[in-house]
Amino acid sequence: MPHRLHRPQSLRALVHDMVVKAGWTEAEAQETADHLVLANLSGHDSHGVGMIPLYFQSLADGNLSPTSQPQVRVDAAPFLIIDGAVALGQPNARKAVDRAVAMAKTGGVAIVNLLDSHHIGRIGHYAEVAAAAGLISLFWVNVAGRPPIVAPFAAKEARFGTNPHAIGIPVPEGEPLILDFATSRMAHGKARVALNKGEQVPPGYIIDGEGRPTTDPAHVFQHAIPGEPLGALLPFGDHKGAGLSLIAELLSAGLMGAARIDEKPQKSWIINSLFGIVIDPARLEPDAGLRKSRIESYLAFVRAAKPQDPANPVLAPGDKERTLRTERGAAGIPLDDETWSQIKAAAARHGVDAESY
């Protein structure tokens, strides 16, 4: 499907103005815009500005409100538990992670659980926030508020969300390691991008509503196959990804009574709960220079491995995203025509002309 390139600063301004017009604060709008555009710049279009029409549909359905405010349940170091109140996800999660970062800076470690937030976006973003503060982080997230979309290993029907996992390790005076992945073979949002582009997905990623292999992304979107049973994404690594997905569900939501994928929450569409551990590495090794040299020497060893294809060098987690940010920052962010059409329609409902940005 045809696409056009958009300047990052124009997309930031557009998303910011849409969110403000819909009733959120300047700060909430800025955090949301920065988060979504950075996801596109990083190559994760599944979690970028293409999510805005879905957020605005959730707003129109009464499942998302600018007046929702999170409430702290527990603030007793090292534990931080926050009821997310299905508030706008990116500022909701950023505030929770910032509080956890401050707690870990003071006490060495923080254990944070954000419960029942609206969709919080790219999980690696929060690992980057912690790494920028010099902290190690581990995050698990569940997905509720909609039907299961990922099949357990050996199953013909879905029981999980895409339940992502992220780990960030700071490198003193260097670029951090950021490992961020869905526990399904592909993120649901990447299937949405393929659907909007009119493209197929690789074999082995999706099954249809009867449990048969398919490459058609329509099978994991109820609106795209009316009258047919919903299919499922497959877990990455078979039983390994399925096991991690189960753990993410229980850690993020199951232990604290937040909305789970098998329960119908009071508010719907995409609800995330986040469980995280934030650690000050200086409590493990106070010598920052030693930490830096040990990490960098091992990374050099890994990157020096002979590649199978000389055109694709061996990378460390986060390398590809940083390269794409430079490339897309200069060339622009590609959005397919269907995604841009959806953004324009959502903007117009709030009196914003997307084409003027």
Side-chain angles (χ1 to χ4, degrees):
M1 176 172 285
H3 70 267
R4 58 188 285 187
L5 295 173
H6 299 259
R7 294 181 305 158
Q9 58 269 37
S10 296
L11 288 178
R12 284 192 200 95
L14 171 59
V15 172
H16 169 276
D17 291 355
M18 288 174 67
V19 175
V20 169
K21 284 274 191 177
W24 280 279
T25 68
E26 287 279 345
E28 290 168 330
Q30 194 62 57
E31 181 63 33
T32 304
D34 288 346
H35 183 122
L36 294 177
V37 173
L38 184 60
N40 285 113
L41 284 170
S42 304
H44 297 289
D45 297 321
S46 57
H47 287 65
V49 296
M51 297 298 294
I52 276 289
L54 302 176
Y55 295 172
F56 275 54
Q57 186 60 55
S58 191
L59 175 66
D61 290 343
N63 300 326
L64 178 62
S65 170
T67 62
S68 295
Q69 293 295 324
Q71 300 294 323
V72 176
R73 286 195 193 178
V74 175
D75 188 354
F79 297 101
L80 175 64
I81 302 172
I82 300 172
D83 182 342
V86 199
L88 186 62
Q90 283 80 3
N92 215 4
R94 178 59 187 266
K95 290 174 185 175
V97 171
D98 282 347
R99 289 178 73 119
V101 163
M103 184 178 285
K105 283 281 193 179
T106 300
V109 66
I111 299 171
V112 58
N113 203 177
L114 174 66
L115 308 169
D116 292 339
S117 174
H118 201 267
H119 184 248
I120 66 175
R122 184 177 67 94
I123 310 309
H125 186 96
Y126 306 107
E128 290 182 348
V129 168
L135 303 176
I136 297 168
S137 62
L138 303 92
F139 294 108
W140 296 264
V141 177
N142 87 318
V143 182
R146 63 179 182 179
I149 200 59
V150 180
F153 177 58
K156 296 175 67 174
E157 57 183 344
R159 286 293 183 270
F160 303 139
T162 50
N163 295 5
H165 179 38
I167 300 173
I169 299 178
V171 179
E173 300 177 3
E175 299 289 358
L177 296 170
I178 305 293
L179 179 66
D180 175 23
F181 57 85
T183 49
S184 50
R185 285 288 303 273
M186 70 187 309
H188 197 216
K190 292 189 186 301
R192 172 180 52 80
V193 171
L195 180 67
N196 285 350
K197 289 182 175 179
E199 297 177 350
Q200 300 290 292
V201 302
Y205 281 55
I206 291 177
I207 55 176
D208 67 15
E210 302 297 330
R212 298 170 299 204
T214 180
T215 59
D216 184 355
H219 286 283
V220 291
F221 294 93
Q222 197 76 65
H223 73 275
I225 50 167
E228 293 188 32
L230 191 64
L233 301 169
L234 294 174
F236 88 87
D238 299 332
H239 61 286
K240 298 175 183 178
L244 277 175
S245 186
L246 174 64
I247 296 303
E249 182 73 46
L250 293 176
L251 284 178
S252 302
L255 298 182
M256 284 298 299
R260 293 202 320 250
I261 197 78
D262 61 327
E263 300 168 331
K264 185 175 181 179
Q266 293 181 352
K267 299 191 178 223
S268 62
W269 190 63
I270 297 183
I271 295 176
N272 289 151
S273 292
L274 173 145
F275 180 83
I277 302 171
V278 183
I279 303 166
D280 183 356
R283 305 296 181 107
L284 305 174
E285 171 50 70
D287 188 334
L290 182 57
R291 293 201 310 272
K292 177 181 175 66
S293 65
R294 289 183 63 82
I295 293 172
E296 290 185 342
S297 66
Y298 188 64
L299 287 178
F301 173 69
V302 170
R303 290 182 174 122
K306 293 180 181 178
Q308 295 184 13
D309 179 355
N312 294 306
V314 177
L315 302 176
D319 287 349
K320 183 176 181 180
E321 285 82 357
R322 283 186 286 270
T323 298
L324 280 171
R325 288 175 190 179
T326 300
E327 293 174 356
R328 287 188 167 190
I333 292 171
L335 294 179
D336 64 84
D337 288 350
E338 176 61 25
T339 297
W340 181 237
S341 177
Q342 292 173 3
I343 292 171
K344 288 195 298 181
R349 287 196 292 271
H350 289 272
V352 177
D353 178 12
E355 290 287 3
S356 67
Y357 287 78

